[in-house]
Amino acid sequence: MDVSQDHAFGVSVKNMSKHFGDFVALDAVDMHIPAGTFHALLGENGAGKSTLVKCMMGFYHKNVGSIHIDGAEQHITGPHDAHELGLGMVYQHFTLVPSMTVLENLVMNHPHIPPVINWDQERHKLEIFLGTVPFKVPLDKRTSELSAGEKQKTEILKQLYLNCRFLILDEPTSVLTPQEADEILGLIRDMANHNQLTVLMITHKFREVLAFADAVTILRRGKNVGTFSVRDLTAEEMGHMMIGAEPIRELGSRKKLTGGDIRLELRDLQINNDSGERAIKAVNLSLRGGEIVGIAGVSGNGQIELVEGLAGQRPIDGGEIFVHGTPYRGTRAEIRNHRVACLPEEPLKNACVASMSVAENLAFRHFDIWPFCQGEKWLKRSEFTRHAAERIKTYGIKTRSPAMRMSELSGGNIQRTVLARELGEPADVLITANPVFGLDFAAVADIHAQIMEARNHGTAVLLVSEDLDELLELSDRVIVISDGAFVHETSRQDADLSVIGQRMAGH
Amino acid sequence: MDYFTDKLSAALVPILALLVSAVLFGIFVAFAGVSPFETYALIYKGAFGTWFSWQNSLQRAAPLLLTALCTALPAQMGLVIIGGEGALVIGGLASVSTALVLQSFLPPVAVQITMLLAGTIAGAIWIGGIGALRHKRGVNEIISSLLLVYIAIAILNTLVEGIMRDPGQPQKSSTHPVADTVMFGNLPGMDVHWGLLIGVMFCIATFVLMYLTPFGFSARIVGGNPRAARMLGLPVGKLVIIICAVGGGAAGLAGAIEVAAVHGRANSALIAGYGFTGILVAFMARQNPLAIIPVALLFGGIEASGGLVQRRLDLPNAAVEVLKGIIFVVVLAFETFSGRLGFLKRRKP
């Protein structure tokens, strides 16, 4: 059983199927990853990428199929078996203990920790190990003080220290700057070249696939569309294979609009985070009608606090917000008078009530005025249903009836419901944060087109996003946020990815 | 159709929980050497078997209707208030105090109305304060509401043994009695006081408030997701405090009715556990004000049957307390099943 070794090995998945009830998440998928190669796994959300790797790691029990390591079939019944065989996985979210040092995190991760730890001996062992790998991290720093890139390196080291020779990476670069991403993927690429490691990377980013991977497997709706050598493919072809024949909404052309009035103004705005530290440090901004201003930054640099402050979910601790030149506190009357709309990230958590119906959720902005309410005293249920039926039709929300609970909708349909509510009527100001996070291709294109349409109709849009591609596609201006301050501003035409990346990293 | 299956599934979980509790309690009495079937037959007889037992059950259900609201309404805002007993005691004290001051110079009807108002307002301030502490200071409402029960009881004891003590009652420390002309009569044709009707009306009124008005709608948004409510510009803190106050007002009113219709004075008889049984009623009714009405009747019946079970089967009086305890634990355990019963589950489109 013990096949752990000091060189890379190949893994094949044969005829793998996984059902959740009636839902087929994986349908007879075959995939072969030769030893010492860098393999990418592409697909839309819900295409089955995570299910596939979780079956390989033993988190899920496959219904049908087998896993072969260097040609020999292996039975993986749980994550423990996978680790014994030398398979390791780095998750999308960090799993380090923030209050512990890198050394402690790495030692703690070991399956057999002695009752009393001899730290000198452990440090010695680790230092010898670190000499054999290209990743460099400061052993005595607390992980909470590390940059995102260093944290990701530590996560990878955790796996390598367990003698992992087949590494699965689940969207490893989503919180990294482009420079950090290139460095880390480059180092992994080198290890694969030296036959020290075989890599399987789940990703959305075509650029990374083209730059680092040898081969790519594309999944669509649980099926393997094909495995291709990266040299034979273009980004466009990959996109087509991911989404199949689904029609994609075109992003409307950017109308030339100049000299809109100032709609949203931030003056020395300061906002604290949950632990009372200043997360937004006296920022200034003016946003005009008919422009999209993008806020770029690595996550955790104050974006959440900024959006929550603007959306009225968090008190502001200094400075002021003006809308249409008057001080704005986010009361219901102000929101209505100034027509402020909001498309937050994770809409189920931020903008919906899961236990209430789709019709009720669609009415949240106007339930207390005519026609939803007669004489401001009694709710008019028939109006809720009529209004919901109309919005469901216009926005293509897939629900069986307006009375269905919000929690029963899929992610894309939840976001569409919030969009229908927030942009169903013209807005003067739109505040939006990662509006397409976790959505599939068609939904992304649709929501981007709606945001562009709102801009073309004169809405002032503040777009906070961790996705640089999204920002550069939509924004008229891009502002970089780093450590709670606006550190760089550029127009769309002059945007330089490498400068933005450096500013994001705080240089 | 969706609405119907929703309601069906919501009602099914407590009913299943009740059946499971019945089996567990049956095992318990079997160990005590009594036939479970005989016990249940007696409980039924003591609760709903005769017109007399019906009236007894209704009488006991009356305060439960109101104390259950004290848990159910804040629960719709996401708060777990378990201190209805405290609001009931304070409401009783407030009503007796106003009656003793006013009854010598106001007509009885006016005294009755001010008694009910005083009890309601005192309860509203008591539980509203818990909501305010929660919202403004982050004080855990479960702990503060429970601890305030003991403070309420301590206030009651201090007053009835001190400045409000009636020297004419040497056996049991009590306040002076409310004048007989001020006491509530019974509903026409039955031996049940007006408090029952007031309780039912209060339940219906809060149902209308929560489900048919924009105010209730905004309160349910806050309860469902405070983050979304803030984004929508709703006054979250104000709504939390008002709904807590309405719930506390209901429990305070229960205390006022207990004084004005049953005891005629304030003493330790007010601490009969109606506030705590109300928690159980609220959870069993899934925090729905209308569902509280039948559930309160059921528990009124269980309480009413206690004496009969004790006399006939030689079980301790605490036996029905054991039954209530078992039901509470099983209902809470079954909460996890709500919306997960396979045969009622619908697929995502």
Side-chain angles (χ1 to χ4, degrees), chain A residues 308 332 349-350 352 379, chain B residues 211-212 214 225 227 232 346:
Chain A
E308 286 180 346
R332 209 160 161 80
K349 185 177 141 204
N350 282 305
C352 299
L379 296 178
Chain B
Y211 290 92
L212 303 181
N225 186 349
R227 290 176 65 85
L232 296 165
R346 297 177 300 263

Side-chain angles (χ1 to χ4, degrees), chain A residues 69-82:
Chain A
I69 291 181
D70 276 345
E73 180 166 355
Q74 300 288 348
H75 295 282
I76 297 177
T77 54
H80 184 74
D81 293 347

Side-chain angles (χ1 to χ4, degrees), chain A residues 102-159:
Chain A
V102 174
L103 174 72
E104 287 166 334
N105 268 288
L106 289 172
V107 171
M108 183 193 72
N109 190 46
H110 230 267
H112 309 291
I113 308 175
V116 179
I117 299 172
N118 181 342
W119 285 105
D120 289 337
Q121 194 189 325
E122 293 293 341
R123 175 187 300 275
H124 185 65
K125 265 163 55 186
L126 245 174
E127 276 164 355
I128 294 174
F129 162 74
L130 285 176
T132 67
V133 290
F135 297 97
K136 300 292 168 248
V137 285
L139 278 184
D140 293 315
K141 242 191 190 175
R142 279 177 195 228
T143 46
S144 56
E145 293 163 12
L146 298 182
S147 71
E150 286 172 320
K151 282 184 193 163
Q152 193 61 280
K153 284 183 197 170
T154 312
E155 291 282 1
I156 293 167
L157 278 174
K158 256 166 73 172
Q159 297 305 321

Side-chain angles (χ1 to χ4, degrees), chain B:
Chain B
M1 207 41 211
D2 276 338
Y3 183 81
F4 179 71
T5 46
D6 259 13
K7 292 292 150 202
L8 185 67
S9 137
L12 207 64
V13 173
I15 289 171
L16 280 177
L18 204 58
L19 290 176
V20 171
S21 323
V23 171
L24 291 176
F25 184 66
I27 295 171
F28 170 78
V29 292
F31 271 109
V34 177
S35 152
F37 301 103
E38 201 185 334
T39 312
Y40 285 121
L42 261 186
I43 288 180
Y44 176 76
K45 196 171 163 218
F48 308 112
T50 62
W51 176 231
F52 174 79
S53 48
W54 259 101
Q55 296 187 102
N56 193 358
S57 302
L58 287 170
Q59 184 104 341
R60 288 166 192 266
L64 294 180
L65 292 166
L66 292 167
T67 52
L69 286 174
C70 186
T71 299
L73 294 177
Q76 301 230 0
M77 313 293 288
L79 267 66
V80 184
I81 299 280
I82 58 171
E85 186 92 359
L88 182 146
V89 166
I90 291 297
L93 263 179
S95 72
V96 103
S97 314
T98 43
L100 293 178
V101 172
L102 298 176
Q103 62 190 7
S104 53
F105 51 89
L106 278 186
V109 178
V111 177
Q112 287 174 336
I113 292 172
T114 41
M115 278 178 85
L116 296 185
L117 276 179
T120 310
I121 292 168
I125 293 171
W126 198 253
I127 303 293
I130 291 170
L133 278 175
R134 168 68 210 234
H135 177 69
K136 302 234 192 292
R137 286 266 158 268
V139 178
N140 182 310
E141 79 282 358
I142 307 176
I143 294 170
S144 64
S145 65
L146 180 64
L147 294 183
L148 277 164
V149 172
Y150 298 108
I151 293 175
I153 291 173
I155 292 174
L156 174 77
N157 288 336
T158 310
L159 289 179
V160 299
E161 282 165 20
I163 54 168
M164 289 181 78
R165 178 163 190 175
D166 178 5
Q169 292 277 324
Q171 318 89 328
K172 191 170 190 179
S173 303
S174 299
T175 62
H176 289 274
V178 171
D180 281 347
T181 49
V182 170
M183 289 294 287
F184 278 31
N186 285 338
L187 288 164
M190 51 204 306
D191 200 14
V192 179
H193 61 73
W194 281 91
L196 178 70
L197 190 65
I198 296 176
V200 170
M201 304 275 282
F202 211 115
C203 284
I204 295 173
T206 50
F207 178 83
V208 169
L209 176 75
M210 292 308 282
Y211 290 92
L212 303 181
T213 68
F215 173 82
F217 193 78
S218 26
R220 287 193 297 131
I221 295 175
V222 173
N225 186 349
R227 290 176 65 85
R230 289 207 173 86
M231 197 199 101
L232 296 165
L234 294 171
V236 174
K238 203 171 117 190
L239 286 164
V240 165
I241 294 168
I242 290 175
I243 295 289
C244 282
V246 174
L253 180 59
I257 291 171
E258 283 294 290
V259 167
V262 182
H263 306 298
R265 52 176 88 227
N267 56 30
S268 57
L270 273 180
I271 313 161
Y274 285 127
F276 291 116
T277 307
I279 303 168
L280 174 48
V281 172
F283 273 87
M284 184 101 188
R286 322 266 337 251
Q287 325 293 357
N288 181 318
L290 277 191
I292 283 175
I293 298 173
V295 177
L297 181 61
L298 176 72
F299 280 91
I302 291 176
E303 304 230 325
S305 67
L308 191 64
V309 170
Q310 183 185 14
R311 283 194 306 276
R312 290 280 193 82
L313 299 176
D314 207 20
L315 283 171
N317 193 26
V320 293
E321 296 296 322
V322 172
L323 175 58
K324 284 196 303 189
I326 290 177
I327 294 175
F328 195 29
V329 171
V330 175
V331 164
L332 287 183
F334 267 64
E335 278 285 300
T336 50
F337 290 115
S338 60
R340 289 202 208 169
L341 294 176
F343 55 97
L344 285 172
K345 206 167 170 180
R346 297 177 300 263
R347 295 193 193 99
K348 296 192 181 199

